[in-house]
Amino acid sequence: MIRRPDPSLLDLHDALLFDLDGTLMHGAQPIPHAAEAVETARAAGCTVVFATNNASRTPQQAAEHLAAVGIAARPAEFVTSPQVAARLLAARLDVGAKVLVVGGPSLAAQMREVGLSPVDTDSEDVAAVVQGWSPDLDWRRLAEGAYAIRHGAYWMATNVDATLPTERGLAPGNGAMVAALRHATGVEPAVAGKPEPGMFEVAAREHGARRPLIIGDRLDTDIEGAVRAGMASLLVLTGVDGIEDALRAEPIRRPTVILPDLARIAAPFPLPVVAGDRARCGAVSAVWRDGDIAVHGDQDDPRVLRAVLALLREHSAQTAWTGQLHPQPLAAQATAER
């Protein structure tokens, strides 16, 4: 009997929804294999979408930034948290309503596009505050936001990412600035971007994707957003979170697949097969033993990790996993199966 070849992730999904910072680049530095992966996906007929929480750039500016790190992109391929925030605010407010922008010019431009009036100073007729990351955000603008929130303006954050990956390391993200206003006002903002599922739902709907794969480096935004949207997810280990973080995460932040980077996005990748307490993925496997997991193969092998994740979905679907991994030589697996 001829064995059917294992499918790749590009065979299993009709659209790839890429995060940017930490997944495709670090600031102005490209991440190895990212540009090639995007082009490989396009060549295979996959729809490519860039879904970003970064509120400092318009889609045109984001496309230009990607071009600088070797990735060709069109503005129409972007879904950004400012776009989602603008749509949500436009649905809630009257046309022409004043929105105090605690962020940069691109966020203000997004408000104008949906018929709202961006301002930078509080007044009695400010209806809402929208907050997004900007390298120029200062105390004065934060103070204006606090005044407006305290007099009852509706507050929406584009995202609550605590950190922003840069070529020098992790810098404070929009969530750090949101925390300052939350602490100053005692108010909790509505959130437009990841981990809210709206960004991914909008992206999938507008691009006609039926089997999207969310690709990102953060469990608390990319992966949680994917889980909440009911979509498959790939955690790449090029940014914020690592293997241990992913395996110990609460189920709502647990990825479908873990890969070191995007180098093998088109490579055959066996699907895990779960039978009771054992999950097999190609030549490797994992076995559930009273809360611990014995793995037959290199515990950093993506196939082993996929088998482990499959077991966690079966045996730890409601709570974070607190057991231990116990590496076993592949020879022990062969002996056990004879």
Side-chain angles (χ1 to χ4, degrees):
M1 187 175 75
I2 298 176
R3 184 178 179 274
R4 184 184 305 175
D6 292 317
S8 72
L9 291 173
L10 299 184
D11 296 322
L12 297 172
H13 301 282
D14 62 353
L16 303 185
L17 278 55
F18 288 98
D19 172 55
L20 299 185
D21 301 299
T23 301
L24 300 180
M25 77 274 189
H26 291 132
Q29 296 297 318
I31 290 177
H33 312 298
E36 296 88 343
V38 172
E39 289 310 307
T40 298
R42 286 193 175 116
C46 274
T47 297
V48 169
V49 182
F50 304 102
T52 176
N53 269 354
N54 193 319
S56 66
R57 304 183 187 99
T58 65
Q60 178 63 47
Q61 291 168 333
E64 292 168 357
H65 185 72
L66 276 187
V69 296
I71 299 174
R74 295 177 291 106
E77 293 177 311
F78 286 81
V79 176
T80 70
S81 61
Q83 287 176 319
V84 177
R87 292 176 191 177
L88 293 172
L89 287 172
R92 181 184 183 91
L93 305 176
D94 295 333
V95 174
K98 287 185 179 181
V99 177
L100 176 63
V101 177
V102 182
S106 63
L107 184 55
Q110 200 67 62
M111 297 302 112
R112 291 190 194 94
E113 283 193 17
V114 296
L116 300 173
S117 299
V119 298
D120 59 11
T121 304
D122 180 40
S123 62
E124 289 185 0
D125 56 349
V126 165
V129 173
V130 63
Q131 183 172 0
W133 185 86
S134 169
D136 302 318
L137 187 62
D138 58 12
W139 179 90
R140 186 196 67 80
R141 189 64 67 91
L142 285 170
E144 293 296 331
Y147 302 147
I149 293 166
R150 282 189 170 277
H151 78 55
Y154 181 72
W155 179 25
M156 175 168 287
T158 59
N159 68 84
V160 289
D161 295 11
T163 57
L164 178 70
T166 74
E167 57 268 31
R168 295 178 58 190
L170 294 178
N174 192 53
M177 301 299 101
V178 167
L181 280 188
R182 184 191 291 118
H183 190 59
T185 64
V187 176
E188 192 71 27
V191 180
K194 302 173 280 188
E196 295 300 315
M199 178 178 291
F200 295 141
E201 293 168 349
V202 167
R205 182 170 62 251
E206 293 189 351
H207 291 270
R210 294 188 175 184
R211 303 183 313 280
L213 176 68
I214 311 306
I215 302 175
D217 69 300
R218 299 182 68 111
L219 298 172
D220 62 349
T221 56
D222 307 309
I223 305 307
E224 181 176 337
V227 173
R228 292 172 65 180
M231 299 176 183
S233 61
L234 162 60
L235 177 73
V236 288
L237 306 177
T238 52
V240 173
D241 288 310
I243 292 172
E244 187 73 11
D245 301 312
L247 298 184
R248 303 293 179 187
E250 296 178 14
I252 199 170
R253 295 180 175 178
R254 190 178 291 155
T256 313
V257 183
I258 302 171
L259 290 177
D261 53 38
L262 293 170
R264 296 178 59 79
I265 193 74
F269 193 11
L271 295 172
V273 177
V274 180
D277 289 340
R278 178 183 292 273
R280 177 183 289 277
C281 196
V284 302
S285 66
V287 181
W288 182 269
R289 293 177 177 169
D290 297 324
D292 291 347
I293 299 177
V295 295
H296 298 275
D298 184 344
Q299 64 187 52
D300 293 338
D301 184 328
R303 298 172 302 169
V304 167
L305 294 173
R306 197 162 189 179
V308 170
L309 289 167
L311 278 183
L312 292 179
R313 285 192 292 273
E314 288 290 319
H315 294 279
S316 186
Q318 305 301 321
T319 60
W321 179 55
T322 59
Q324 300 296 319
L325 280 182
H326 298 290
Q328 305 286 329
L330 284 172
Q333 171 180 292
T335 301
E337 292 176 351
R338 280 201 295 267

